[in-house]
Amino acid sequence: MTLPLHEFHACLGARFKTVNDAEAVTDYGNALAEYAALRETAAVLDLSFRSRVCLLGTDRSRFLHGQITNDVKKLRAGEGCYAALVSAKGKMISDLNIFALADELLLDFEPGLTRTVIDRLEKYIVADDVQAMDVAPDYGLLGVQGPKAETVVRALGLFTELPAKQLASVKISDATLGDIYLMNNARIGSGGFDFFVPTNALAAMADKLIASAKSAGGRACGWTAFEIARIEAGIPRFGVDMDETNIPLECGIEARAVSYSKGCYIGQEVINRIHSIGHVNRELVGLRLADDSKTLPAHGDKLCKVGKEVGHVTSATKSPALNANIALGYARREVNQLGNELTLRSGNGESIAKLVELPFVK
């Protein structure tokens, strides 16, 4: 899937890559400057490669409440939550940002999963008044992230109020741009907002956002810089750091994704049973790697203790903030204490990986 704004980004010097068969901007020629904008000022991202599905119908909230790990029934229009969609065995199918709009529920999630998520939901629609619709062709997704994100949004002059809470939203109807939804969504731990914009107004909105960001010392930003900041923030990404082999309780998302008071949902029995035990057998961990290695470990490279495999690496990067090699991965419960040193076996041979606190960078 090609980005609707491919030519717009190409004119800015963008290079491109695919993420789950969806096109994304890699960078605009200077990934380190883009990373600095994310950390210090504000960075504008085209996130239109992500999946977007709307649930319509009078039963939408009650239905989705019975399908995911978090509480949807309590959401009022303009509120949102983060959740996991799991199988009957409690295994991850996707993670979801859920926005309760006036007449629909908007789901935002990783690219390439639209059909998977819709099929999983429709499997359980029996007599419910619920329709699942792919809205990615109609609405693009732009984001501004960084400590000056709020300044950038206010300077647009489009919004009389900004949503204050994480995943809260407001809507405006602009004579030129159409209906725009603004979501408070700090995707890497610092401030941030999402804009769901009609496709035919996407270029105009992107132009306004980038101009506003530049006025605040920021710039347009691509995938490379965003991934570095995401890993530094210790935030797992579905399809890389968590997948269909994981339950949410292993992935470091339990506190924000799982409600234990909401009532029944598909997979609840398994998740509640594991929660009542008080622990999982493996958990997502932060790893400080050997800094003298010029090559980062690959996804799946093994972590060992006294010759025994006890985990694996999922994401790795060179952190500019720490001037260090870091990684996310999984370690078994018996070895996942902070400060423990494990042996990383990668294409470079063996080296030390030390378990450290997440996030790496606050």
Side-chain angles (χ1 to χ4, degrees):
M1 181 184 75
T2 303
L3 281 170
L5 294 187
H6 178 94
E7 293 303 322
F8 176 94
H9 296 303
C11 289
L12 296 178
R15 296 183 291 185
F16 300 91
K17 66 174 295 170
T18 56
V19 182
N20 292 349
D21 295 327
E23 184 181 64
V25 173
T26 304
D27 59 51
Y28 296 91
N30 192 339
L32 282 179
E34 295 163 30
Y35 165 86
L38 274 171
R39 283 292 178 209
E40 298 167 12
T41 55
V44 176
L45 301 111
D46 188 347
L47 302 172
S48 298
F49 57 88
R50 289 178 60 84
S51 301
R52 294 176 291 290
V53 167
C54 270
L55 292 185
L56 308 170
T58 57
D59 296 329
R60 62 188 182 276
S61 293
R62 180 190 58 77
F63 171 77
L64 188 62
H65 188 83
Q67 304 299 316
I68 62 168
T69 57
N70 215 338
D71 193 332
V72 177
K73 281 185 178 180
K74 71 178 182 182
L75 297 180
R76 294 172 293 182
E79 296 180 333
C81 69
Y82 175 72
L85 181 69
V86 300
S87 70
K89 294 182 178 180
K91 300 290 187 178
M92 296 277 293
I93 294 172
S94 178
D95 65 339
L96 306 167
N97 293 317
I98 300 165
F99 305 102
L101 309 180
D103 301 306
E104 56 204 316
L105 291 170
L106 173 59
L107 315 181
D108 158 54
F109 49 100
E110 289 292 322
L113 296 175
T114 299
R115 193 69 260 162
T116 298
V117 169
I118 289 178
D119 286 349
R120 161 63 176 76
L121 293 173
E122 289 183 340
K123 177 181 178 181
Y124 292 96
I125 297 175
V126 183
D128 309 277
D129 178 20
V130 182
Q131 301 86 44
M133 179 183 301
D134 178 9
V135 295
D138 304 310
Y139 267 76
L141 174 56
L142 303 173
V144 56
Q145 298 287 321
K148 293 188 177 180
E150 183 174 333
T151 299
V152 170
V153 177
R154 290 192 183 280
L156 294 171
L158 292 171
F159 302 90
T160 57
E161 61 172 327
L162 270 58
K165 294 182 179 180
Q166 176 74 354
L167 301 184
S169 64
V170 296
K171 173 188 174 183
I172 64 161
S173 295
D174 183 81
T176 303
L177 300 172
D179 292 343
I180 297 178
Y181 296 88
L182 173 67
M183 280 70 172
N184 186 323
N185 193 3
R187 290 182 178 268
I188 54 170
S190 60
F193 294 87
D194 288 344
F195 298 79
F196 290 86
V197 182
T199 303
N200 60 6
L202 207 51
M205 190 65 191
D207 207 34
K208 289 177 181 291
L209 266 175
I210 293 171
S212 184
K214 286 181 176 178
S215 296
R219 62 196 296 153
C221 176
W223 175 267
T224 299
F226 184 78
E227 274 292 275
I228 294 171
R230 177 190 69 79
I231 295 169
E232 287 181 336
I235 298 171
R237 181 163 69 87
F238 186 80
V240 176
D241 306 293
M242 47 186 179
D243 57 29
E244 65 280 354
T245 68
N246 294 112
I247 59 171
L249 280 59
E250 299 172 330
C251 306
I253 65 172
E254 180 182 8
R256 58 193 178 105
V258 181
S259 167
Y260 291 105
S261 61
K262 60 165 286 184
C264 296
Y265 62 90
I266 304 300
Q268 180 207 26
E269 183 178 349
V270 174
I271 290 174
N272 279 15
R273 184 168 68 245
I274 295 171
H275 175 70
S276 66
I277 293 172
H279 68 262
V280 289
N281 292 328
R282 60 177 180 174
E283 285 185 298
L284 188 79
V285 295
L287 300 162
R288 176 74 180 258
L289 308 178
D291 293 334
D292 57 354
S293 175
K294 295 182 180 179
T295 304
L296 293 166
H299 181 278
D301 280 354
K302 306 303 182 187
L303 297 168
C304 301
K305 187 74 171 180
V306 197
K308 179 183 176 183
E309 183 181 328
V310 292
H312 65 277
V313 170
T314 55
S315 293
T317 192
K318 174 67 176 289
S319 165
L322 300 173
N323 191 29
N325 294 332
I326 58 175
L328 297 175
Y330 285 89
R332 290 190 59 82
R333 181 168 59 94
E334 60 266 26
V335 299
N336 71 358
Q337 294 77 31
L338 293 179
N340 264 3
E341 292 186 347
L342 305 179
T343 300
L344 169 63
R345 291 178 177 171
S346 67
N348 294 325
E350 294 189 351
S351 59
I352 295 299
K354 184 177 181 180
L355 273 68
V356 296
E357 186 178 5
L358 293 174
F360 297 99
V361 179
K362 296 188 189 305

